[in-house]
Amino acid sequence: MPRKTLASASLLLISSLVAQVSAHGYVEHVTLGDTKHTGYLPYVDPYMSPTPQRIIRKVPWNGPVQNVSLIDIQCNGYTAGGIPTEPAPLVGTIAAGQEAKLKWTSWPDNHKGPVITYMARVPDDQDIRKWSPGRDDAVWFKIHEVGKTADNKWGAVELLTEAKGVSTVKIPSTLKAGQYLIRHEILALHFAFAYPGVQIYPSCIQVKVTGGGDDFPSSEYLVSFPGAYKHDTPGIVYDLYSETGGYSIPGPAVWTPGA
Ligand SMILES: *[C@@H]1O[C@H](CO)[C@@H](O)[C@H](O)[C@H]1NC(C)=O
């Protein structure tokens, strides 16, 4: 290893330790069926040469998006110019009916909230390595959500911790084959008592879904990002400290094939 690389590697180690201390988090790897893919690592990948090739779209850091009106809410792209997220160079493969296991970095105990997963189908004449939905495109449908259980356990952090940081999501078994973005997110509610306050941690994974069937959600299940969440949506605004009842997870109903 050339000396310069070594020096920047130890600097990198220090900065990633610092980042851990003030950490929020991101998806560090994803297993599609039996195949494990390393995620986009915001504190490592930008310093590597050559740049590692990933199936997860770049995230700028381990922090959240806090403005539900920005296109950044799609995939946590840092897009000050309002440009959709930068696509990743690779595409994973998963068969309809298989599970995707999304492994988060260690998650802070006070960042409680739901864990939600959406998918968006890439138009047949487009390549996922070049395509992103527009701001107003209602293309996202929800396939999975975990909010608060009756015994007060949250998707994040209690259930995620019990599952060793892994969120498991099944791709609907009769979903029409094709290229899809999987948009997986945690909403951290510790400041969500007023808007802005909710912290949104989305991550987008590029996959090709094989097998499947003919099912695809009807328009009532399809939402845009931004758009699905508003500044006054219940569940986007929520007082974690005084609410003793249930939690209503924002976004559309979960789509199940046949619906
Ligand atoms: C969110 O972004 C929109 C669009 O840029 C801007 O108009 C609005 O003021 C921002 N809201 C907050 C709370 O920062």
Side-chain angles (χ1 to χ4, degrees), residues 66-70 135 195-196:
Q66 291 183 272
N67 185 333
V68 296
S69 307
L70 298 180
R135 291 182 58 93
Y195 181 86

Side-chain angles (χ1 to χ4, degrees), residues 29-39 53-57 87-96 98-102 119-120 122 127-129 171 175-182 204-211:
H29 58 78
V30 56
T31 304
L32 301 175
D34 298 325
T35 309
K36 182 172 169 181
H37 300 269
T38 303
Q53 308 266 290
R54 307 298 189 200
I55 67 167
I56 301 193
R57 292 190 171 188
L90 300 184
V91 186
T93 301
I94 186 164
Q98 278 189 316
E99 287 176 342
K101 292 182 184 295
L102 303 114
M119 293 178 82
V122 182
D127 180 341
I128 197 168
R129 294 166 302 172
I171 305 300
L175 179 65
K176 186 178 174 185
Q179 292 187 326
Y180 287 83
L181 282 172
I182 298 175
C204 286
I205 302 133
Q206 298 179 173
V207 300
K208 182 179 156 197
V209 174
T210 59

Side-chain angles (χ1 to χ4, degrees), residues 112-115 145-156 158-159 189 238-249:
K112 291 181 198 292
V115 183
E145 61 184 11
V146 187
K148 185 169 80 159
T149 64
D151 55 347
N152 285 319
K153 288 184 178 175
W154 287 90
E158 291 88 348
L159 299 177
L189 302 173
Y238 183 83
D239 189 340
L240 188 63
Y241 309 102
S242 69
E243 288 277 358
T244 51
Y247 171 75
S248 104
I249 302 173

Side-chain angles (χ1 to χ4, degrees), residues 47-65:
Y47 308 98
M48 302 278 280
S49 182
T51 307
Q53 308 266 290
R54 307 298 189 200
I55 67 167
I56 301 193
R57 292 190 171 188
K58 190 188 227 176
V59 291
W61 60 330
N62 63 12
V65 178

